[in-house]
Every structure is written in structure tokens, then in C-alpha cells.
Amino acid sequence: MKTALSVLNMGFMRGLSAAYMEATPAINDWLAQLIDGDPVLRSTGLTVIRERAAVGYRHLEYERATDRHSPYRKMLAALWRESPVPSLRDGETLATMASLLHVDHRGASLAGALIERSGLTPTAWLRRYLRAYYVPLLHSFYAYDLVFMPHGENVVLVLEDGAVRRAVFKDIAEEIAVMDPDADLPPQVRRIRVEVPEDMKLLSIFTDVFDCFFRFLAAHLAEEGVLAEDGFWRTVAEVTRAYQEANPQLADRFRRYDMFAPEFALSCLNRLQLRDNRQMVDLADPSGALQLAGTLRNPLAGF
């Protein structure tokens, strides 16, 4: 169960909007049905932890006295989220994806330990992980203009003998978006439709996945001598190309949004917090707040 808290953390007061809670179960059901009906997503094993029910209290006086971002509109609400435990098969265990970046006092990473336990080569282990986590993000973007907030705490990995079997995404209703302003969505789901400039759409992968997670995982594996960074990014490039070749119907979108572009804009997330530590972004306009500063070299460009 997730409840509203008046705690400032990561650029947000951790309240829950009663207005948002009203549509939460419907958004979760829509996404679960989309995944279940898509053969590519289904083949990766992707599932979501659904937020099955929600409740919120709307205080009319506070709503008249405050703007829509005010924490006073988010004081009394709760949602009930499924547990991933009942979905486990024999021999499977769970770990947040964030744990892959854990390094112990000897400098040994959990990711390296999992690779060793699995008995797979580092590249084979990485391919399984990318198929479970990264391919669903690619396909959601290219097939549906659908993006997640896929950081380590929002992704649960299902492991078997150290290898990644599949991924479970969570924190759905407030952190997914459809970037097609003309998308045909059910009335209760239309809240997730946002307008994002064309040149910023792929930052949902370049920033959120490459810059904010993969670069740290690649560095840990390289520092331990498990897998060189060049080998890490070559594998990501090969998985990307394999996905594209398996889905020629999306070729126009692959050209329009080029995963192998030489560079991408550097989005500075820390600057968002320095500018306003209480409201980092407007969830209804996530690109409007971005702080861009130059570019980064795309690690896939050389492949």
C-alpha cells in the first residue's frame, strides 16, 4: 500500500493527488492489456505490478485556495499495488534493478557476482538482461510512443541462478506517458498523453537509460575486469540492431528517431532540483522543465 507523505524527496513532496488516483486503476489496466496483446512485449516476459485500486479525498477549500501543484491537494490518498511474489516460478527470485549498481566494501559489484553465479559469459548474461529490460523500452517507444520512468527502483528483475529471466515494471500511473498528441486513448487514460518536441523524444532512452543507468553498470563491470565498456556498448548496439531487423514494419520510425545518432542532448537532472527542489517537473509537461547543456557522444554511434 502506498500512502501520501509530506516528505520532500527527489524534487517532489511525496503526496498523492486525489485527481490522479481517480484514473490510476484504469491506466494500469490499459497498460497491462497493451502488453498482453503485443507479441513483442509478451515474448520478452515483461509484466507490470498493477495498482489495482486507489482512493483520494478532495478538500474543496484547499483546491480553491491553491494551484494544481500544491502539496495541500495531495494530503489524503492511497493506492493498492500488486505484489510480484505470487508470479514467481520455482527457482526464481526478485531484485530491484537498482541493486545491480551495488558495490560492496571490497569493490565487488552485485552485477559481477550474478554473472559469475549464472555460469554465462558476461556478454550472454548482458544479452538476457537487455532483452528483459531494454527491448521492451525500445518497442514501447517505437510502436506506441509510450515511455516509462525506467530507473532502477521502478524495475524489478526476476532472476534464476543469477541470470535475468524477465522484468517487472512498477510505478505505472504517474510515470508513464504517451508522446503522440493524437493517440487514441480511452477517456480515463488520456491523462498520460503529453506533447514532447520531436528532438527530445529519444531522450527517454538516451538520458533515462544510457546516461542514468547503463553508463554506471558498464563502468562497474569494466572496473572489475568483467566486461570492457566497449564490449558492453557493442552488445547494446547489437541488441538494438537485432530488434530493428526483427520489426521492419517500424523502419520509418527507426530512421526518424535514430538510436545510432552521433550524439544526443545532455539533460541535467540535478539542475532541475537546484532550480526547484519541491516541484522538479510538471508531470503533465515533462519536457517543459528540462535543463539542457550541450551534448553527449552516443556510445552506440561507433557500432
Side-chain angles (χ1 to χ4, degrees):
M1 185 176 73
K2 185 175 182 179
T3 60
L5 296 171
S6 292
V7 173
L8 181 62
N9 173 257
M10 290 297 293
F12 292 98
M13 293 294 292
R14 290 294 169 176
L16 290 177
S17 162
Y20 268 41
M21 291 304 98
E22 189 171 7
T24 286
I27 292 170
N28 279 260
D29 290 344
W30 172 83
L31 179 61
Q33 290 165 12
L34 183 148
I35 292 171
D36 189 55
D38 185 280
V40 175
L41 295 176
R42 204 167 56 243
S43 71
T44 67
L46 177 69
T47 56
V48 295
I49 302 175
R50 277 198 253 191
E51 293 147 355
R52 288 288 191 175
V55 63
Y57 175 68
R58 304 184 72 161
H59 196 298
L60 301 184
E61 285 76 10
Y62 280 137
E63 291 196 1
R64 282 196 293 268
T66 60
D67 67 27
R68 64 191 179 90
H69 294 304
S70 173
Y72 287 101
R73 296 188 180 200
K74 305 173 184 179
M75 293 192 300
L76 190 56
L79 62 83
W80 287 264
R81 180 184 290 153
E82 293 174 323
S83 167
V85 173
S87 70
L88 293 180
R89 306 179 187 110
D90 289 344
E92 293 181 339
T93 58
L94 298 170
T96 63
M97 193 175 76
S99 67
L100 295 185
L101 301 185
H102 174 71
V103 177
D104 70 13
H105 65 284
R106 299 186 305 272
S109 72
L110 178 64
L114 290 174
I115 292 171
E116 183 177 2
R117 180 186 297 174
S118 73
L120 300 170
T121 66
T123 299
W125 185 94
L126 181 59
R127 284 182 178 278
R128 291 196 187 187
Y129 161 63
L130 293 173
R131 176 162 178 77
Y133 165 66
Y134 174 61
V135 170
L137 298 177
L138 287 178
H139 189 65
S140 296
F141 175 84
Y142 283 109
Y144 302 106
D145 256 330
L146 169 66
V147 296
F148 296 82
M149 190 70 72
H151 56 68
E153 190 270 333
N154 272 358
V155 178
V156 179
L157 299 177
V158 179
L159 306 171
E160 184 175 31
D161 297 325
V164 179
R165 288 288 304 270
R166 50 197 167 87
V168 185
F169 290 176
K170 71 180 186 71
D171 254 3
I172 299 303
E174 291 190 276
E175 297 199 344
I176 66 170
V178 173
M179 299 186 294
D180 178 1
D182 300 317
D184 184 18
L185 299 173
Q188 281 190 289
V189 180
R190 288 173 189 165
R191 188 189 79 211
I192 68 172
R193 188 167 55 195
V194 298
E195 290 195 47
V196 175
E198 284 288 295
D199 60 346
M200 291 188 183
K201 285 186 174 182
L202 254 186
L203 292 183
S204 63
I205 293 177
F206 284 148
T207 298
D208 296 355
V209 180
F210 286 12
D211 187 27
C212 291
F213 198 86
F214 279 2
R215 73 177 171 108
F216 297 103
L217 180 59
H220 287 328
L221 295 178
E223 287 167 6
E224 286 188 275
V226 175
L227 180 64
E229 288 195 58
D230 191 63
F232 181 98
W233 291 109
R234 177 182 291 108
T235 305
V236 176
E238 290 170 354
V239 170
T240 304
R241 190 73 74 193
Y243 163 72
Q244 293 180 342
E245 290 173 354
N247 293 277
Q249 74 279 11
L250 298 171
D252 288 345
R253 287 184 57 81
F254 297 150
R255 285 189 291 270
R256 184 174 178 182
Y257 305 107
D258 184 8
M259 286 296 302
F260 296 88
E263 58 187 21
F264 58 87
L266 170 57
S267 179
C268 304
L269 300 186
N270 285 344
R271 295 188 185 196
L272 300 181
Q273 293 184 329
L274 291 171
R275 184 187 60 187
D276 183 355
N277 73 322
R278 290 178 176 270
Q279 184 66 37
M280 196 165 72
V281 297
D282 178 357
L283 294 176
D285 181 22
S287 66
L290 292 184
Q291 298 289 295
L292 306 178
T295 60
L296 291 174
R297 182 182 66 84
N298 181 2
L300 300 196
F303 304 103

